[in-house]
Amino acid sequence: MFCIMFSLFVEDLELYLQKRIDVGLSLNELCLILLLFADDMVILAETPIDLQSSLDTLYDYCNTWGLEVNVDKTKCVVFRKRGGLLRGESWYYGNNSCIIETVNDFNYLGVTLNYTGNFTLNTQTMYGKGLKAMNTLIANLKKHETLTKLALQLFDSFVGSTVSYGCEIWGLSKSKQLETLHIKFCKTLLGVRQSTCNVAVYGELGRYPLYINRYVRIVKYWLKLCQSNNIITIVNFELNDSAVGKVNWFTHVKDLLSKYGFLYKWNDIINNRHLRKNVDSVFISMFKQRLIDEFTQEWRNGVNSMEVLTLYKSVKESLKLEPYLNNIVSRNLRIPLTKLRVSAHSLRIQTGRYGRDRIDRNLRFCQICNSNDIEDEFHFVFKCFPYEQVRRKYIKHYYRSRPSMLKFTQLLSTKNKPELYMLAKFIQEALEIRRLRL
């Protein structure tokens, strides 16, 4: 209610500032003098003299109507490509002793604006907010047994929305920093080390990178701007600048569409900005699917090229959430099964790859039995004798009888809930036996 009353009270402020016709930013026939949102105000000017003139006019207006400006919270930003402030680039409010601080960065409506137009600092700010939200979410998830699908939905709602705020403007890069936040949560959810292969983590959870959602939102916003009648002058001005080689937001959107094979859509939309809404929805679906298809191909290439994922490539069919992550409610049971599938376990086939104990693959023998077999996942589940008792207890006779890699991959890929549960129980108890024997 206060914001509404304030907006009504200062409704004539723009007219008051227009006493001088040469203030503000001129975009063709449009002149932008100030931006108002609730009780926030931004005054725009092209030169230091124009800005000081507007500040003087604002001071007179506030004195007339009994308003006060908090000078301590008021900042000036000089947008430029590089370099420091020039002589004369200092401003004051009311009198010469009340200097307004000039800063390089300013947070406006939740987005950090840098004087160069670069959004790196904004991305870092989003990362910090997202990290705080993620840690809070993880702390709460540890208090309850939560299905994996629900945990991912909570991440998208609380963390994903936080790090994507205002991404229509700043989200044109893939941002490794934000993807690091995403993959860190996924690994924590699966209970695997942070060194675990990212492609396996994406595969188990059926997740796509955060940039896909950002890119879709950017294109939606571009369509909205191109078809809006409210700011057509600004859109035309920016499109004309882009057409003559100047770099702006529309230029980056055009490059984005071109990168994924939709440059023809740019031309179609620009030449006909009043396409039907259903046409827009079809285009958005096509664009999103193109992003997904490209990432899926990258994911498949990653799985096939990594030696550590030799087992995983034989048990993973497609990029989707694995059923066992929802079928097995207990996190303590899910984690050992996940580690076995993605080769993030402590078996010799894996630990022998790294550190001072690194040895050739054909020498990574099992240290639990005397078979001189390599201690890989197949040996652990089907052959190692010390686990025979729990193996008979939890693994069906069909799999134990004449074991083969075919049966092994069938077992790891099964969607049968009881079989998944029993396999997880076997892995958990067998690992405990192994720990006690080492």
Side-chain angles (χ1 to χ4, degrees):
M1 180 62 71
F2 168 78
C3 291
I4 295 176
M5 294 178 64
F6 178 80
S7 299
L8 293 173
F9 195 79
V10 299
E11 184 182 10
D12 63 335
L13 176 57
E14 183 175 10
L15 295 176
Y16 200 89
L17 291 173
Q18 286 180 342
K19 287 182 177 181
R20 287 187 56 198
I21 61 174
D22 56 345
V23 297
L25 298 179
S26 297
L27 303 176
N28 291 343
E29 299 178 356
L30 178 67
C31 182
L32 290 178
I33 300 176
L34 79 163
L35 305 176
L36 291 171
F37 184 84
D39 59 345
D40 283 330
M41 178 189 306
V42 175
I43 296 178
L44 305 172
E46 292 188 356
T47 67
I49 295 176
D50 289 345
L51 179 56
Q52 186 58 62
S53 176
S54 294
L55 288 170
D56 293 340
T57 305
L58 175 64
Y59 179 75
D60 293 338
Y61 178 88
C62 291
N63 281 340
T64 301
W65 295 103
L67 298 174
E68 291 185 3
V69 172
N70 190 333
V71 181
D72 293 334
K73 292 184 177 181
T74 303
K75 312 295 180 185
C76 288
V77 179
V78 180
F79 289 95
R80 57 196 183 278
K81 290 184 178 181
R82 65 185 67 84
L85 294 175
L86 302 177
R87 180 178 298 179
E89 289 185 341
S90 61
W91 297 268
Y92 58 89
Y93 179 78
N95 54 67
N96 292 335
S97 62
C98 198
I99 302 296
I100 298 176
E101 182 183 5
T102 302
V103 296
N104 290 331
D105 310 289
F106 186 73
N107 187 292
Y108 181 63
L109 302 182
V111 177
T112 302
L113 304 175
N114 181 264
Y115 75 97
T116 63
N118 186 287
F119 287 106
T120 300
L121 183 60
N122 178 76
T123 303
Q124 294 173 356
T125 302
M126 293 297 172
Y127 174 83
K129 292 179 179 179
L131 183 62
K132 183 178 180 180
M134 185 188 72
N135 290 336
T136 301
L137 175 59
I138 291 175
N140 283 282
L141 289 176
K142 289 181 178 179
K143 298 177 183 178
H144 310 282
E145 291 285 5
T146 308
L147 293 178
T148 304
K149 184 177 181 180
L150 177 58
L152 292 173
Q153 291 173 343
L154 290 172
F155 176 87
D156 291 335
S157 298
F158 293 102
V159 184
S161 60
T162 299
V163 299
S164 298
Y165 177 79
C167 67
E168 291 86 351
I169 302 301
W170 57 264
L172 283 155
S173 68
K174 290 188 175 180
S175 181
K176 291 183 179 180
Q177 190 174 30
L178 296 182
E179 296 303 340
T180 299
L181 186 72
H182 180 210
I183 202 69
K184 181 178 180 180
F185 175 81
C186 291
K187 291 178 179 179
T188 302
L189 183 61
L190 290 176
V192 298
R193 296 187 298 270
Q194 293 300 315
S195 58
T196 304
C197 291
N198 291 349
V199 291
V201 174
Y202 279 124
E204 286 298 273
L205 296 173
R207 296 291 287 181
Y208 301 112
L210 299 180
Y211 74 80
I212 291 181
N213 177 60
R214 292 201 303 273
Y215 285 3
V216 171
R217 287 177 57 172
I218 288 169
V219 172
K220 284 183 177 179
Y221 188 60
W222 168 68
L223 287 170
K224 184 177 181 180
L225 290 178
C226 288
Q227 298 173 3
S228 173
N229 293 323
N230 295 329
I231 54 173
I232 191 66
T233 301
I234 298 177
V235 172
N236 286 336
F237 183 87
E238 295 298 314
L239 287 174
N240 291 335
D241 275 357
S242 178
V244 298
K246 294 184 179 180
V247 178
N248 56 32
W249 181 83
F250 282 91
T251 307
H252 294 306
V253 174
K254 183 178 181 180
D255 293 341
L256 177 65
L257 293 171
S258 178
K259 178 181 178 180
Y260 292 99
F262 288 101
L263 182 58
Y264 70 95
K265 281 293 182 181
W266 167 275
N267 297 324
D268 290 345
I269 298 298
I270 296 303
N271 295 329
N272 185 3
R273 302 186 196 175
H274 301 287
L275 296 177
R276 300 186 307 275
K277 293 294 182 181
N278 61 331
V279 176
D280 291 351
S281 62
V282 171
F283 167 52
I284 290 297
S285 298
M286 291 172 57
F287 179 73
K288 183 176 182 179
Q289 190 59 50
R290 185 71 57 83
L291 296 175
I292 291 174
D293 290 344
E294 182 181 89
F295 173 74
T296 301
Q297 186 60 47
E298 292 176 359
W299 172 79
R300 289 186 186 279
N301 293 338
V303 172
N304 292 329
S305 64
M306 292 189 178
E307 182 184 357
V308 69
L309 298 180
T310 301
L311 171 64
Y312 193 67
K313 68 183 67 175
S314 65
V315 301
K316 185 63 178 178
E317 298 177 355
S318 58
L319 182 58
K320 61 181 180 181
L321 179 67
E322 285 300 312
Y324 78 89
L325 292 170
N326 283 322
N327 293 336
I328 302 176
V329 178
S330 172
R331 188 171 184 269
N332 291 333
L333 280 180
R334 290 199 307 262
I335 291 176
L337 178 54
T338 299
K339 288 183 175 181
L340 189 80
R341 285 174 55 88
V342 303
S343 297
H345 46 67
S346 58
L347 300 182
R348 195 68 175 139
I349 188 66
Q350 179 64 13
T351 59
R353 299 177 186 273
Y354 311 109
R356 288 179 294 181
D357 296 331
R358 178 183 175 87
I359 55 177
D360 294 337
R361 191 181 190 282
N362 62 334
L363 298 178
R364 299 171 194 170
F365 300 127
C366 179
Q367 299 173 318
I368 307 300
C369 65
N370 297 320
S371 63
N372 286 331
D373 283 348
I374 297 174
E375 191 187 25
D376 57 11
E377 298 87 354
F378 178 81
H379 174 82
F380 173 77
V381 174
F382 280 156
K383 298 183 68 177
C384 195
F385 181 75
Y387 314 133
E388 186 62 26
Q389 185 175 353
V390 291
R391 186 177 294 119
R392 290 179 178 274
K393 180 179 179 182
Y394 293 116
I395 306 297
K396 289 175 61 175
H397 181 266
Y398 164 77
Y399 295 110
R400 290 186 285 106
S401 175
R402 297 180 180 179
S404 64
M405 279 302 299
L406 176 61
K407 290 183 178 180
F408 185 46
T409 55
Q410 286 177 346
L411 179 58
L412 288 179
S413 305
T414 183
K415 296 177 176 56
N416 184 288
K417 291 184 180 181
E419 288 185 0
L420 285 170
Y421 179 80
M422 299 298 273
L423 174 61
K425 288 289 291 183
F426 165 77
I427 296 172
Q428 184 186 51
E429 294 190 17
L431 286 175
E432 180 61 19
I433 294 173
R434 183 180 185 276
R435 186 186 68 82
L436 295 174
R437 281 178 169 263
L438 286 177

